[in-house]
């Protein structure tokens, strides 16, 4: 995990000035993330995005899911899974209480960060990952 301050220090050490960089044409839509992707940072966000996608591509499929945040709750969830009480479930665990919005280096209260993510998510032009402008580039991740 890095803080933005640490990351900025690395950029400065390498003399990277983002104001002078010319973006690649293929990255012109970089700020067009879907609401599903924007919600990853809060507890349950990844599982919700996956469940939403499954409902769109296989509406007849039931998606059972559980998510936990904080190490204690993650451990409980995993113990239930190990005991066979969550067979077939989509499980999501985030170590930080509230999700990544409450990670190390966070200076904003979790409730405020979560509310900001909800606004940012709602403001996305597209909500579903199925509608992502990047869907046609998935093959690049496999190369």
């Amino acid at each position: 995990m890095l803080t933005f301050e640490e990351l900025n220090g690395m950029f400065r050490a390498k003399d990277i000035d983002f104001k002078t960089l010319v973006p690649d044409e293929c990255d012109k839509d970089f700020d067009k993330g879907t609401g599903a992707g924007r919600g990853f940072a809060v507890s349950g966000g990844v599982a919700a995005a996956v469940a939403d996608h499954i409902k769109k591509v296989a509406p007849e499929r039931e998606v059972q899911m559980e998510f936990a945040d904080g190490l204690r709750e993650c451990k409980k969830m995993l113990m239930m899974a190990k005991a066979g009480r969550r067979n077939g479930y989509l499980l999501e665990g985030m170590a930080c209480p509230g999700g990544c919005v409450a990670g190390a280096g966070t200076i904003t209260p979790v409730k405020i960060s979560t509310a900001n993510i909800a606004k940012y998510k709602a403001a996305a032009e597209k909500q579903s990952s199925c509608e992502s402008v990047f869907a046609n580039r998935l093959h690049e991740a496999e190369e």
Side-chain angles (χ1 to χ4, degrees):
M1 196 290 306
L2 295 171
T3 65
F4 285 109
E5 182 180 9
E6 292 165 331
L7 187 59
N8 191 37
M10 289 181 206
F11 292 140
R12 274 195 246 133
K14 293 292 184 180
D15 293 321
I16 298 172
D17 181 1
F18 287 97
K19 294 176 187 169
T20 63
L21 295 178
V22 177
D24 288 340
E25 180 60 28
C26 65
D27 292 332
K28 67 179 175 9
D29 292 325
F30 195 67
D31 64 342
K32 301 288 185 196
T34 63
R38 290 177 177 192
F40 274 22
V42 297
S43 182
V46 176
V50 171
D52 176 65
H53 184 78
I54 292 170
K55 285 179 188 173
K56 289 198 180 343
V57 299
E60 71 287 352
R61 181 172 289 171
E62 178 187 355
V63 179
Q64 294 179 304
M65 67 178 185
E66 183 175 346
F67 58 91
D69 59 356
L71 293 176
R72 181 175 289 123
E73 294 303 313
C74 287
K75 183 177 179 181
K76 285 181 194 176
M77 179 181 69
L78 292 174
M79 294 300 283
M80 294 293 278
K82 185 177 179 181
R85 309 263 321 258
R86 298 294 182 267
N87 289 339
Y89 274 62
L90 167 62
L91 303 175
E92 174 194 309
M94 292 197 177
C96 298
C100 297
V101 295
T106 302
I107 58 173
T108 305
V110 179
K111 286 184 180 183
I112 294 172
S113 295
T114 301
N116 288 337
I117 293 289
K119 287 179 196 172
Y120 184 57
K121 181 179 174 181
E125 189 176 310
K126 308 281 185 187
Q127 290 301 312
S128 173
S129 60
C130 296
E131 304 169 316
S132 172
V133 297
F134 301 106
N136 64 346
R137 293 180 63 186
L138 287 174
H139 68 280
E140 294 175 23
E142 297 172 358
E143 295 174 354

